[in-house]
Structures are given as structure tokens and as C-alpha cells.
Amino acid sequence: KTTIKTRKSSGINAEYGEAQASKGLKKPDVKIVRTSSISETYLVGEGGHKSTAEDPMVIDSEHGEVIAEAIRGEVEDIDEEDRYEPSSCFEYVEDIMLYLRKQEIDCAIDSDYLTMHTDLNPRMRGVLVDWMQEVVTRFKLLIETFMLSVNMVDHYLSKVGKPVTRDQLQLIAATALFTSAKFEEIYPPVAKDFIFICEESFTMEELFTMERDMLSTLKFNVTVPTPVHFLRRFSKAARSDARMHNLSKYLSELAQPEYTMLKFKPSMIAAAAVYLTRKMTASVPIWTATLVKYTEYEEKDIMQCVKELNELVRRAQAKSLSFKATFEKYKEMKTYTVSTNP
């Protein structure tokens, strides 16, 4: 049995939230910009479903020709419209994606690493990652922080070179969260916040010692690609609106506690999440020539990952999935309640 201690008091939430507010911090978020003028053009999805103005399948006057080109199999240049937008890094985006593709191969995690830790098993890892999601949600941290921290835990356990026992897991996870928050957040929680949330199950000195050990084991390489790095670009290629992008994020995060999903590359999980999102929202065609170009995956390449993601969604909605933190996170109105939608 894996015991994860979490302080139930919401006091730290309030303190941290107030601190964020007092500093005027506004959390960054991805925005898919679309025109406000909606045309009378609709697509008919599977089963004769006709889109409405609230449906992601509505085609506006700006994107109508884009969809028509996708159906004809033509490839859209998704970067052209951002040529003069400095934050889109138009000149460097292709080089950035090439680098991420190389890094996901160079930084691949051994999908069978738990065999070297005889006291651990896949379910313990799942419980741990589910708890990490709860902490990220409680502290209102970014999805990048969550995915980087999970990656750090997996990399550390795969490279540490000595067996790890179950009573060390929470310290390892808290250290990964503490370190990744410093890397990704503008105002990260401080060390005492993590000690408090873990009911003082370890000391500050133990946290700092583990941080030194973890970073040394990882050779200080924490700039690793995760599904979210690919997901934003793939969502752009899919012309996803805000609701569809949130659904894709939900699917990508749903995969994190599952040990069996380690066999898939981050880019494949992101591509499978976009594919399943389009399938769930009756988007046609599901996989376009534009998506093939920018994801670098044919439809057949991602089908096994899509099937496993779909099974996780089915189990989550049937309440038979053991790890519930991600499902609960995406039940909120601010995430368009995508986890509860059929």
C-alpha cells in the first residue's frame, strides 16, 4: 500500500491564491483566436449531426476555405497568418519543432524502468502522479509544471541506479514539483509550502538534499519535451477552438498516471489527443493533410495510442478509473467541463 500524505486544510490555498492576486499575477493561457462573424455554413458530422453556433464545428467566413482545402487534401500553411506576430516566433518555429523531435528521442524514458525497483509497481506510480495532479490543481500551477514534474520523476527513477522504496516516493514527487515549478512558474510555491502540503512528512533539508540528488542524476537537463509542447502546435494545425483545445489537454493529462502510456512518445500522445478530440466532436475530416504534415504522423501510426486513450476516457466516465484527479480538474466550467461530455 502506498501512503501519500496531504494536508486537507485549504489554508495554504487561500494564502497562495491571495499572494498571487496581490502580485497581480494573471495565469497565461493559450487562446485560439477566431473571428466573431459566423457564417451560415455548417458541416454535417457522423450520424447526420448538424452543428450549431455553440458547436466547434461551425465554420466562420475566415476558416471556411481552410476547411474546404483540408477536405480536398491540400496542406495549409498555419504559420503564414502569424508572420508579423513576434510572440509566434515565425522565423524559428520549424527549428524549434525539429529540436523538440530530436530531444524526445534523446530523452526517451525506459518504459520498463520499474523492474529495477522491486518495492514499486505501476499502480503506486499512478497513485503518486494522481496526487501530483491534485497538488498542481490546489496550487493553481501550469500544465507545463505538472508534465515536467512527472517527466522528472520518471527520468529520476529510470536513472538513479539504486532501488527506491515506496516510502521515498512522496519526497521524490514533491521535489520534482518544487523544482519544475521554479523552472516553469513566474511565482512558484516555496519549499515550506510543499512541506506543509505533505503534512511535514519530510524536512526542508531532506527536500533540498533530494533536489541536489535529482538534478545531479538528471545532469541538470530539465528542458525536455512533454505532450503539451507539441499539443499547442497540433491544435493550431487542427484549427481547434478553446473547448477542443481543453479537451485535448484533458486527454493528454489523462495519460500521465498510466505506466503503460510511457511507451508512446510525447508527440504521439499529443497527436492522438487531437485525433480523439476531433472524433469526439464529430469534426470532418478527422485527420487532414495539414495535420499529417505538422504532426508527422499518418492516421495509422497513432491508432494504437488513440485506442488506449479512448479506453481511459471510457473508464473515467464510467467512474472505473482509479486515478480521478485529472477527471475532477476538467469538470470545472473554466475547462468547459470536457471530462463529463460524452
Side-chain angles (χ1 to χ4, degrees), residues 179-194:
T179 307
S180 60
K182 289 194 288 186
F183 188 78
E184 296 286 1
E185 304 288 333
I186 298 174
Y187 297 109
V190 296
K192 66 180 181 180
D193 292 335
F194 288 102

Side-chain angles (χ1 to χ4, degrees), residues 270-322:
V274 170
Y275 182 97
L276 191 54
T277 293
R278 293 179 63 79
K279 182 73 173 175
M280 292 171 71
T281 55
S283 302
V284 289
I286 296 176
W287 208 241
T288 66
T290 300
L291 281 166
V292 170
K293 174 184 176 180
Y294 288 101
T295 66
E296 299 184 17
Y297 290 114
E298 296 283 349
E299 189 171 353
K300 60 182 174 60
D301 299 330
I302 60 175
M303 286 314 297
Q304 183 58 39
C305 188
V306 169
K307 289 176 182 176
E308 294 193 28
L309 266 183
N310 187 60
E311 177 60 17
L312 292 177
V313 173
R314 187 194 65 78
R315 287 166 53 200
Q317 292 187 343
K319 310 257 189 247
S320 61
L321 193 65
S322 301

Side-chain angles (χ1 to χ4, degrees), residues 148-149 151-157 159-160 162 171-184 206-224:
L148 176 58
S149 63
N151 183 283
M152 290 179 69
V153 168
D154 287 328
H155 262 122
Y156 176 75
L157 291 176
K159 294 182 176 182
V160 67
K162 58 184 179 182
L171 174 58
I172 291 170
T175 303
L177 285 166
F178 174 56
T179 307
S180 60
K182 289 194 288 186
F183 188 78
E184 296 286 1
E206 288 173 320
L207 180 67
F208 292 153
T209 299
M210 177 56 72
E211 182 180 33
R212 288 192 294 270
D213 183 37
M214 181 175 288
L215 289 173
S216 297
T217 300
L218 301 182
K219 298 181 179 179
F220 289 83
N221 180 22
V222 293
T223 54
V224 294

Side-chain angles (χ1 to χ4, degrees), residues 109-245:
I109 299 168
D110 179 6
S111 60
D112 199 32
Y113 73 78
L114 282 181
T115 54
M116 73 177 74
H117 303 288
T118 55
D119 196 37
L120 308 181
N121 59 51
R123 177 170 174 75
M124 291 179 188
R125 177 193 175 274
V127 170
L128 189 72
V129 174
D130 198 53
W131 173 79
M132 292 168 72
Q133 179 72 282
E134 290 180 359
V135 174
V136 165
T137 303
R138 185 173 293 189
F139 281 147
K140 297 180 173 61
L141 303 179
L142 300 171
I143 182 176
E144 289 90 345
T145 302
F146 171 61
M147 289 199 171
L148 176 58
S149 63
V150 174
N151 183 283
M152 290 179 69
V153 168
D154 287 328
H155 262 122
Y156 176 75
L157 291 176
S158 66
K159 294 182 176 182
V160 67
K162 58 184 179 182
V164 170
T165 59
R166 65 188 69 186
D167 58 353
Q168 295 175 280
L169 283 180
Q170 189 169 25
L171 174 58
I172 291 170
T175 303
L177 285 166
F178 174 56
T179 307
S180 60
K182 289 194 288 186
F183 188 78
E184 296 286 1
E185 304 288 333
I186 298 174
Y187 297 109
V190 296
K192 66 180 181 180
D193 292 335
F194 288 102
I195 294 170
F196 179 89
I197 206 71
C198 296
E199 294 188 329
E200 301 179 359
S201 56
F202 50 82
T203 66
M204 192 172 295
E205 184 57 38
E206 288 173 320
L207 180 67
F208 292 153
T209 299
M210 177 56 72
E211 182 180 33
R212 288 192 294 270
D213 183 37
M214 181 175 288
L215 289 173
S216 297
T217 300
L218 301 182
K219 298 181 179 179
F220 289 83
N221 180 22
V222 293
T223 54
V224 294
T226 64
V228 72
H229 291 117
F230 298 96
L231 186 59
R232 292 200 175 99
R233 185 151 178 84
F234 295 173
S235 286
K236 182 179 181 180
R239 291 293 177 182
S240 298
D241 60 16
R243 178 178 172 274
M244 292 175 71
H245 185 62

Side-chain angles (χ1 to χ4, degrees), residues 79-109:
D79 298 313
E80 181 58 34
E81 63 191 37
D82 296 321
R83 178 181 290 272
Y84 303 108
E85 176 55 56
S87 64
S88 295
C89 303
F90 174 83
E91 297 90 345
Y92 314 115
V93 65
E94 293 296 337
D95 291 333
I96 291 170
M97 295 310 295
L98 277 173
Y99 174 76
L100 291 175
R101 296 278 186 181
K102 180 179 181 298
Q103 280 291 95
E104 73 171 347
I105 295 172
D106 294 344
C107 301
I109 299 168

Side-chain angles (χ1 to χ4, degrees), residues 2-64:
T2 306
T3 303
I4 302 293
K5 294 182 179 180
T6 305
R7 192 177 296 272
K8 299 299 182 183
S9 169
S10 60
I12 192 168
N13 273 346
E15 290 175 14
Y16 190 66
E18 288 166 8
Q20 300 272 48
S22 66
K23 293 170 182 171
L25 174 63
K26 184 178 181 181
K27 284 289 182 184
D29 198 8
V30 176
K31 293 183 179 178
I32 308 299
V33 180
R34 305 191 68 177
T35 60
S36 57
S37 58
I38 302 297
S39 72
E40 293 301 316
T41 308
Y42 296 87
L43 284 185
V44 177
E46 296 179 0
H49 168 69
K50 185 175 180 181
S51 306
T52 66
E54 297 299 322
D55 195 295
M57 284 307 302
V58 173
I59 305 176
D60 60 33
S61 56
E62 178 185 350
H63 293 93

